[in-house]
């Protein structure tokens, strides 16, 4: 590998690393109440398998400290801080399908170069706040393991599956669990490793919090069906765990088991192993390809089945873990590249989908605080180059995630696998976010809008994975962004929850409120919301021009002089024997043809009529003809919109004719709103005493304007009304301010000229003319029609009025499930003639 490539990646990763380093003092990880607990390490994590880390850290054959540091920086920057690492291989070098160089050449005889490589690796990981799972043995031939211990115990030469076959290999290594001499050699190895002192840091391994856990072996298996062998296997694991704990009481111990699949297919067998009090958490591995859930030609077609089997496998082991209150770590899983290719740069579509699902499970567990606590994918190939000739590893090749007995690139995730890396990084970021304290403003007793004399209690509910003290700051600014104040509080989490109350006494208006967690001077945003205080006292004086009333009287006169020439075009596909649907075409102000959708009950009689005004650029939606059988419904399409929009026509209506009040688009649109009342009232079946209107956004504005200009409307329900208080509106919202201000500049209009023209169409200048009851809905988080502007018009309404605020809603009030109910209850009064 070229050093330029290493240091290029290192530079990028280091920049990310500096931004993510933690200053917290390292601490040991332990299990409490089914969770990993530590002062400096999360309860849930995404990690990887980095079996060759100690070799890279060495200064002998295979060593490459520059690459090691680059790999660690990259992993840290991607959020992978839990690395599962082989302490070292066993036996002589130069054995086909075995990693080289090995650590233990003969029983108790060590290659100290590899040990010092492990020391260096742990020291470098400590600097980056990373944790290591160190496994000490292996069922499989690729690091020596069982076979070498048996060979040293006099049981014959260690076999290689590729040479003798899988079954012969399994029969050979099945003798390990009952061979006392082989197990004693391994126990001596455990004593030697666990008792070691790091030559780089001078710290004994047992005192090094960089070690997450000691692991007995990689996929320890019994390889036997007899009860004697199985009990010997359980006894060996339990006694080894106890030995490690006696040498090092500070660290956790894990088994390294695959789960049921590595316990002769028996879940109770796996449970028996992990019932050991000295085994702190439970391990499982999942291999869809190795276990034949997918094969070379079915990597994509059987992917869904592999995911289904994965969920079943995880869940059945979690059910056992619940009995013991122990976390579960899926410490190995992998998936081949598309079309069973091995080369870097080849597609990983199926792998990415599989990873996304598995990592999604750990993200969900982090959110819920579940026992599924960690994943380590297999394995990190990182910056490794690939041989152009060797499918299997040969001495001198770069180490990657695939050990010597597997095709190089089979399961490795390389740094250049950008889509897979993105999936992993995203999961790590989502876990980090999920594990931070979560906060939510509590609006159980209000809707985020406070009325009456202050101070008012603003409550925040908090959740955390840890019970600890926390410092909070609430920054409050006006909706225009002007700072108001910063309010600090300290809280104590108990049983994962806390409640914090801020007492605020603020002037009438709406405010932006951002809650921060403060740690060592750094602030992390937890949540934000808008808050309202006494909105009915917001002052937004009308700015009517002297000829405002005359202008609209003239407009209405011109409209009245225009014959509507109604055309009712039957829509049979939207009609039945309850109501008939029609497309209505009619002439409006200036002779413009506008249209709408009309439903009329078939039965004779007088009916209430509902006019609906549409939002800016909305499309017509068709109701079922039986949905409102006792109601005439008319949905107006104002000029140039919906039914009236020509193919390819721009949605620049808010700037059309802006240079003059007589030509501005909304003069005609407001007249269209009145023409809709003319249409409804012209119908023989309409009860003129029961005509009402509603609309959202632009439709909310037209609802208010129509009721101001035409008192035949008896009740209205606007939501998130548009076009209120233009000056404040344009200071608060990017749209339509942007295009309107740009059009004014293009037309050479001064600011005074612009706002004088717009004042003829400002909803707040109409609403003092309304004579009917009003109910208005607003979204507290609305950035399109901010609530401040909604009340600019509302506060000038002289009649009976009320409002509803939806605290979590933005500009989608009409989607709130309670609004249709509230609106219907309001209109039922009108329908039943209670007004």
């Amino acid at each position: 590998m070229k050093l330029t490539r290493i240091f290029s990646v290192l530079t990028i990763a280091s920049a990310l690393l500096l931004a993510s380093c933690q200053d917290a003092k390292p601490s040991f990880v332990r299990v409490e109440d089914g969770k990993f607990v530590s002062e400096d390490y999360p309860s849930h994590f995404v990690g990887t398998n980095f079996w060759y880390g100690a070799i890279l850290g060495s200064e002998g054959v295979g060593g490459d400290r520059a690459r090691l540091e680059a790999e660690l920086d990259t992993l840290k920057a991607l959020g992978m801080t839990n690395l599962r690492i082989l302490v070292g291989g066993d036996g002589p070098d130069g054995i086909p399908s075995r990693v080289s160089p090995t650590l233990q050449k003969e029983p108790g005889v060590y290659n100290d170069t590899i040990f010092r490589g492990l020391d260096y690796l742990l020291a470098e990981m400590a600097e980056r706040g990373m944790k290591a799972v160190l496994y000490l043995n292996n069922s499989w031939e690729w690091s020596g393991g069982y076979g070498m211990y048996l060979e040293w115990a006099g049981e014959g030469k260690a076999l290689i599956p590729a040479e003798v076959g899988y079954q012969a290999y399994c029969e050979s290594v099945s003798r390990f669990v009952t061979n006392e001499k082989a197990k004693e050699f391994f126990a001596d190895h455990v004593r030697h490793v666990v008792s070691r002192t790091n030559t780089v840091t001078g710290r004994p391994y047992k005192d090094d919090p960089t070690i997450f856990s000691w692991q007995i072996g990689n996929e320890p298996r019994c390889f036997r069906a007899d009860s004697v062998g199985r009990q010997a296997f359980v006894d060996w694991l339990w006694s080894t765990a106890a030995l490690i704990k006696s040498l090092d009481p500070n660290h956790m111990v894990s088994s390294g088991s695959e789960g049921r699949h590595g316990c002769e297919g028996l879940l109770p067998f796996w449970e028996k192993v992990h019932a050991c009090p000295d085994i702190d958490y439970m391990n499982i591995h999942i291999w869809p390809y190795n276990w034949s859930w997918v094969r070379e030609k079915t990597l994509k077609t059987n992917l869904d089945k592999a995911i289904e089997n994965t969920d079943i496998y995880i869940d059945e082991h979690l059910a056992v873990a619940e009995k013991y209150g122990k976390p579960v770590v899926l410490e190995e899983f992998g998936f081949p590249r598309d079309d069973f290719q091995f080369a870097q740069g080849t597609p990983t579509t199926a792998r990415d989908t599989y990873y996304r699902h598995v990592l999604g499970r750990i993200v969900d567990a982090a959110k819920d605080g579940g026992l599924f606590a960690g994943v380590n994918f297999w394995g990190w190939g990182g910056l490794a180059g690939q041989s152009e000739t060797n499918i299997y590893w040969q001495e001198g090749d770069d180490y990657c995630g695939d050990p010597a007995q597997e095709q190089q690139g089979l399961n490795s995730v390389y740094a250049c696998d950008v889509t897979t890396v993105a999936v992993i990084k995203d999961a790590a970021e989502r876990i980090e976010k999920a594990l931070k304290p979560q906060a939510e403003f509590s609006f159980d007793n209000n809707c985020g809008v406070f009325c009456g004399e202050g101070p008012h209690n603003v409550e925040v509910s908090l959740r955390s994975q840890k019970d600890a003290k926390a410092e909070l700051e609430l920054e409050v600014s006006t909706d225009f962004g002007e700072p108001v104040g910063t309010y600090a509080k300290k809280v104590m989490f108990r049983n994962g929850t806390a409640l914090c109350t801020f007492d605020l006494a603020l002037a009438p208006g709406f405010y932006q409120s951002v809650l921060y967690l403060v740690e060592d001077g750094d602030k992390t945003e937890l949540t934000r919301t808008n808050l309202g205080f006494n909105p009915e006292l917001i002052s937004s004086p009308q700015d009517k021009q002297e000829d405002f009333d005359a202008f609209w009287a003239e407009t209405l006169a011109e409209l009245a002089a225009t014959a509507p020439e109604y055309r009712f075009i039957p829509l049979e596909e939207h009609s039945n024997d309850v109501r008939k649907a029609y497309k209505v075409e009619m002439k409006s102000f200036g002779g413009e043809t506008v249209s709408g959708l009309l439903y009329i009950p078939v039965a004779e009689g007088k009916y209430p009529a509902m006019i609906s005004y549409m939002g800016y650029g909305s499309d017509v939606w068709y109701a079922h003809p039986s949905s409102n059988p006792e109601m005439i419904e008319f949905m107006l399409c104002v000029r140039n919109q919906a039914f009236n929009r020509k193919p390819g026509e721009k949605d620049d209506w808010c700037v059309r004719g802006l240079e003059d009040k007589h030509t501005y688009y909304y003069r005609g649109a407001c007249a269209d709103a009145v023409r809709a009342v003319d249409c409804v009232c012209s119908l023989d079946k309409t009860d003129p005493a029961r005509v009402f209107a509603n609309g959202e956004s632009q439709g909310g504005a037209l609802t208010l304007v129509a009721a101001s200009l035409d008192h035949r409307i008896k009740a209205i329900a606007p939501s998130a009304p548009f076009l209120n208080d233009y000056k404040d509106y344009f200071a608060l919202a990017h749209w339509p301010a942007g295009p309107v201000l740009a059009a004014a500049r293009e037309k050479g209009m001064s600011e005074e000229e612009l706002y004088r023209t717009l004042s003829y169409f400002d909803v707040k200048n109409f609403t003092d003319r309304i004579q009917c009851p009003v109910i208005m809905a607003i979204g507290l988080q609305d950035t399109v029609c901010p609530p401040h502007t909604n009340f600019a018009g509302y506060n000038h309404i002289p009649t009976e009025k009320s409002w509803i605020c939806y605290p979590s809603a933005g500009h989608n009030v009409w989607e709130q499930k309670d609004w249709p109910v509230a609106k219907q209850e309001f209109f039922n009064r009108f329908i039943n003639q209670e007004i």
Side-chain angles (χ1 to χ4, degrees), residues 1 90 120 161 180 205 207 221 223 244 323 333 352 362 365 414 419 458 473 542 556 601 641 774 785:
M1 173 174 298
D90 308 300
Y120 186 82
E180 297 303 321
Y205 277 12
D207 295 331
R221 287 193 180 189
F223 293 111
I244 295 172
K323 295 166 60 175
F333 70 93
D352 294 348
I362 197 67
Y414 295 103
T419 56
V458 178
E473 281 188 4
Q542 292 182 321
L556 293 178
Q641 298 190 40
V774 180
C785 296

Side-chain angles (χ1 to χ4, degrees), residues 444-455:
D444 293 339
N445 300 320
N446 55 64
C447 56
V449 178
F450 301 85
C451 298
E453 293 186 9

Side-chain angles (χ1 to χ4, degrees), residues 685-757:
K685 293 184 178 180
T686 296
D687 181 351
R690 295 187 292 168
V691 176
F692 51 103
N694 77 119
E696 296 88 24
S697 190
Q698 173 187 262
L702 293 175
T703 298
L704 290 164
V705 170
S708 301
L709 297 176
D710 195 326
H711 297 151
R712 288 176 291 178
I713 298 177
K714 304 304 181 183
I716 59 172
S719 60
F722 187 46
L723 306 181
N724 267 291
D725 199 3
Y726 277 102
K727 285 188 178 181
D728 280 357
Y729 187 18
F730 286 2
L732 291 169
H734 297 297
W735 184 90
V740 171
L741 295 175
R745 287 193 295 270
E746 291 176 5
K747 297 174 186 293
M749 299 176 71
S750 67
E751 183 176 307
E752 180 181 353
E753 290 170 332
L754 170 65
Y755 286 112
R756 183 168 58 246
T757 296

Side-chain angles (χ1 to χ4, degrees), residues 85 122 154 214 261 463 528 569 586 617 649 749:
I85 297 160
L122 292 173
W214 293 108
H261 194 87
R463 293 183 295 108
R528 62 173 56 214
I569 304 167
M586 55 191 176
E649 182 176 1
M749 299 176 71

Side-chain angles (χ1 to χ4, degrees), residues 290-342:
N290 296 358
W291 298 352
S292 298
W293 296 349
V294 294
R295 301 308 297 158
E296 291 90 336
K297 295 182 179 180
T298 62
L299 294 172
K300 291 183 179 179
T301 55
N302 284 6
L303 177 60
D304 287 344
K305 186 63 177 178
I307 288 173
E308 179 185 346
N309 288 347
T310 295
D311 284 337
I312 293 170
Y313 198 79
I314 292 172
D315 291 338
E316 67 181 354
H317 289 83
L318 284 174
V320 175
E322 288 282 354
K323 295 166 60 175
Y324 297 90
K326 293 184 179 184
V328 174
V329 175
L330 171 57
E331 59 177 18
E332 283 189 23
F333 70 93
F335 204 92
R337 294 170 175 274
D338 293 354
D339 302 318
F340 207 66
Q341 300 182 79
F342 312 128

Side-chain angles (χ1 to χ4, degrees), residues 93-416:
D93 296 331
I95 304 298
S97 76
R98 183 180 299 164
V99 300
S100 179
T102 59
L103 169 65
Q104 186 177 200
K105 302 302 183 181
E106 297 176 11
V109 178
Y110 293 96
N111 176 358
D112 200 50
T113 300
I114 300 299
F115 254 145
R116 289 195 300 271
L118 181 61
D119 295 342
Y120 186 82
L121 169 64
L122 292 173
E124 290 296 311
M125 290 179 65
E127 287 188 6
R128 294 161 176 80
M130 306 173 85
K131 300 288 186 184
V133 176
L134 299 179
Y135 54 98
L136 297 153
N137 202 337
N138 199 343
S139 296
W140 306 110
E141 81 286 3
W142 61 266
S143 69
Y146 281 14
M148 278 312 307
Y149 284 109
L150 286 167
E151 180 177 319
W152 291 333
E155 292 285 352
K157 189 173 181 61
L159 301 183
I160 297 174
E163 295 178 351
V164 301
Y166 178 74
Q167 191 59 42
Y169 174 81
C170 292
E171 290 175 1
S172 174
V173 294
S174 69
R175 295 172 292 170
F176 176 79
V177 296
T178 54
N179 189 301
E180 297 303 321
K181 190 172 183 180
K183 289 188 291 183
E184 187 54 39
F185 281 145
F186 174 63
D188 289 342
H189 178 59
V190 170
R191 294 183 185 97
H192 189 80
V193 174
V194 176
S195 301
R196 180 176 175 79
T197 294
N198 191 307
T199 58
V200 176
T201 65
R203 175 183 288 172
Y205 277 12
K206 67 183 180 64
D207 295 331
D208 188 355
T210 308
I211 298 173
F212 183 83
S213 80
W214 293 108
Q215 191 162 94
I216 297 170
N218 176 61
E219 300 189 344
R221 287 193 180 189
C222 178
F223 293 111
R224 296 172 66 151
D226 61 294
S227 60
V228 172
R230 289 179 180 173
Q231 187 58 49
F233 177 69
V234 172
D235 292 343
W236 170 65
L237 288 171
W238 280 49
S239 64
T240 304
L243 172 62
I244 295 172
K245 286 288 189 180
S246 72
L247 298 167
D248 177 2
N250 294 325
H251 289 106
M252 297 185 294
V253 174
S254 53
S255 67
S257 173
E258 300 155 88
R260 172 174 55 79
H261 194 87
C263 289
E264 320 312 316
L266 302 172
L267 193 60
F269 191 15
W270 178 81
E271 178 179 349
K272 193 172 184 179
V273 168
H274 290 87
C276 174
D278 292 317
I279 293 179
D280 295 276
Y281 62 95
M282 301 183 174
N283 302 123
I284 58 173
H285 299 182
I286 298 178
W287 287 102
Y289 174 75
N290 296 358
W291 298 352
S292 298
W293 296 349
V294 294
R295 301 308 297 158
E296 291 90 336
K297 295 182 179 180
T298 62
L299 294 172
K300 291 183 179 179
T301 55
N302 284 6
L303 177 60
D304 287 344
K305 186 63 177 178
I307 288 173
E308 179 185 346
N309 288 347
T310 295
D311 284 337
I312 293 170
Y313 198 79
I314 292 172
D315 291 338
E316 67 181 354
H317 289 83
L318 284 174
V320 175
E322 288 282 354
K323 295 166 60 175
Y324 297 90
K326 293 184 179 184
V328 174
V329 175
L330 171 57
E331 59 177 18
E332 283 189 23
F333 70 93
F335 204 92
R337 294 170 175 274
D338 293 354
D339 302 318
F340 207 66
Q341 300 182 79
F342 312 128
Q344 292 180 1
T346 51
T348 55
T349 308
R351 174 190 287 177
D352 294 348
T353 300
Y354 184 75
Y355 269 48
R356 191 175 292 110
H357 180 80
V358 173
L359 295 173
R361 289 286 308 252
I362 197 67
V363 172
D364 290 342
K367 291 177 181 177
D368 300 335
L371 290 177
F372 190 35
V375 294
N376 298 75
F377 65 87
W378 188 289
W380 181 247
L383 303 169
Q386 280 188 308
S387 169
E388 295 181 359
T389 57
N390 300 331
I391 296 177
Y392 294 93
W393 184 84
Q394 299 293 324
E395 187 171 343
D397 292 345
D398 282 355
Y399 300 105
C400 68
D402 303 295
Q405 89 284 8
E406 292 182 329
Q407 300 95 327
Q408 301 296 280
L410 173 63
N411 294 300
S412 286
V413 175
Y414 295 103
C416 60

